[in-house]
Amino acid sequence: MSYNTISFKQIILFLVLFILTVSVKGQEVKFTSKVDTSSIILGDQIKLKLELSAPKDYILNIPQQDDSLLNPFEVIANKDTLLKDLNPVKYQRDYLITAYDSGWHKIGPFAAQFQKPGDSVWTTIFTDSLMIFVNTPVVDTTKAFKDIKDVLGEPLTLEEILPYTIGGLAVALIIFLIIYYIKRRQKNKPFIKLPSRPKLPPYELAIQSLESLRVKRLWQNDQIKEYYTELTDILRNYIEGQFKIKAIEMTSDEIMESYQEYRNDTQLLYLLRNVLRIADLVKFAKEKPLPSEHDKALQDTIEFVQTSYKTIMMNNGQTSDEALKQ
């Protein structure tokens, strides 16, 4: 065999070594950065792409966004993309940047870390630095100056319109309510007409009011005058509602005379006289009855209301028990 002759075994060995070399290179960690142009005019936008690739079984420490590495460029937008299903795995960050300082500016280098399988040591890898030249616009001083263009309008969004819509509806509602209120007042009507509750019969109203007065414990709290004022008001309202006597506007004597003309009942007149007399002494003569007299005035009023009501119902053909159940 001559010196230049290559054996079959050598060819096989060469192919195996080549495949292993390509496989090893294909499994390398790569971290690159690139821009779509290396020269821009002041204020123009440029795209920057960072791409990190590594075998699927490697552990990657994806680089944190550090805008200081982009100075003096300003970040307009950025987007991260991670392709886990590929082998090698690819991580990509896309920037949209601009600059307002002219001259040469450096971007990067950016750093990332990775761990190999079974290795606890982090390895750091860097991208190359990029140099970008920012040109100032060329101004032709021989031409006349032009006016600055107006700002272009954009369609209004719902978020922008909504506050004005709500405000307009609120103003319209307030104006409507004011006009409605004025018209209702001119007609001597309430602003809002609530459904009226059915009035209780005089007897039921008096019994409920007397129980409420008892629970208030006015005279026990040294509110004696208030106690008798409310007691006689209940009594007057009952007489006026039940017997159609204008008791609210009358003096005690006038009430007695009118009731006697309506029904000359000795027992009821006695009860009525006792309550009105002691109430007048408290309200006008500033008398201070004994505690027992306070309770008696309340009981006399209750007895007057119940007895007079039973008398009316019995005259209408009902028994006393039936009258009080109604």
Side-chain angles (χ1 to χ4, degrees), residues 58-290:
Y58 278 40
I59 301 174
L60 296 179
N61 186 5
I62 297 173
Q64 298 296 316
Q65 182 176 330
D66 186 0
D67 294 348
S68 64
L69 296 175
L70 295 170
N71 287 335
F73 288 88
E74 295 183 11
V75 177
I76 299 173
N78 63 77
K79 178 184 177 182
D80 289 342
T81 305
L82 179 60
L83 304 175
K84 295 182 179 179
D85 298 331
L86 299 180
N87 191 13
V89 174
K90 286 190 178 181
Y91 164 79
Q92 183 174 307
R93 175 174 291 156
D94 294 293
Y95 285 98
L96 186 63
I97 58 177
T98 188
Y100 299 100
D101 292 334
S102 61
W104 284 101
H105 302 300
K106 184 177 78 168
I107 297 177
F110 299 89
Q113 292 183 317
F114 64 90
Q115 277 185 358
K116 295 180 180 180
D119 194 349
S120 61
V121 178
W122 286 98
T123 302
T124 304
I125 187 172
F126 296 90
T127 66
D128 293 331
S129 297
L130 300 173
M131 297 299 296
I132 309 295
F133 184 71
V134 181
N135 292 286
T136 55
V138 178
V139 180
D140 189 351
T141 57
T142 62
K143 294 183 179 179
F145 291 102
K146 296 181 180 180
D147 292 335
I148 299 174
K149 291 184 179 180
D150 292 335
V151 177
L152 296 177
E154 292 186 359
L156 293 174
T157 63
L158 178 61
E159 186 177 355
E160 293 172 327
I161 297 174
L162 191 59
Y164 298 99
T165 304
I166 294 174
L169 291 174
V171 171
L173 179 61
I174 292 171
I175 293 173
F176 169 78
L177 291 175
I178 291 173
I179 296 173
Y180 178 79
Y181 171 75
I182 293 172
K183 288 185 176 181
R184 297 289 291 182
R185 185 157 186 182
Q186 288 174 346
K187 297 179 180 179
N188 291 323
K189 294 182 178 180
F191 181 67
I192 299 175
K193 187 177 180 181
L194 299 174
S196 57
R197 297 175 62 182
K199 292 183 178 181
L200 290 173
Y203 169 75
E204 293 182 23
L205 180 60
I207 294 299
Q208 289 185 13
S209 300
L210 289 168
E211 177 60 20
S212 177
L213 176 62
R214 184 187 65 80
V215 173
K216 288 181 182 178
R217 299 177 62 85
L218 292 179
W219 70 263
Q220 291 90 334
N221 293 308
D222 205 29
Q223 294 178 278
I224 298 173
K225 185 176 180 179
E226 291 80 357
Y227 172 76
Y228 281 98
T229 299
E230 189 166 339
L231 181 64
T232 52
D233 285 345
I234 295 170
L235 184 58
R236 289 170 181 269
N237 282 314
Y238 169 72
I239 292 172
E240 183 162 318
Q242 191 68 61
F243 305 109
K244 310 306 178 185
I245 296 172
K246 301 294 183 181
I248 296 175
E249 302 171 1
M250 292 180 176
T251 65
S252 297
D253 291 337
E254 290 172 339
I255 293 174
M256 292 293 301
E257 292 176 7
S258 298
Y259 185 76
Q260 190 171 8
E261 292 177 3
Y262 179 84
R263 185 174 300 280
N264 190 8
D265 188 311
T266 304
Q267 179 190 1
L268 294 177
L269 287 170
Y270 172 78
L271 295 171
L272 183 59
R273 182 180 295 106
N274 281 349
V275 176
L276 295 176
R277 179 187 61 81
I278 193 170
D280 287 343
L281 288 174
V282 171
K283 290 190 289 184
F284 304 115
K286 298 183 180 179
E287 290 284 341
K288 290 188 177 181
L290 296 173

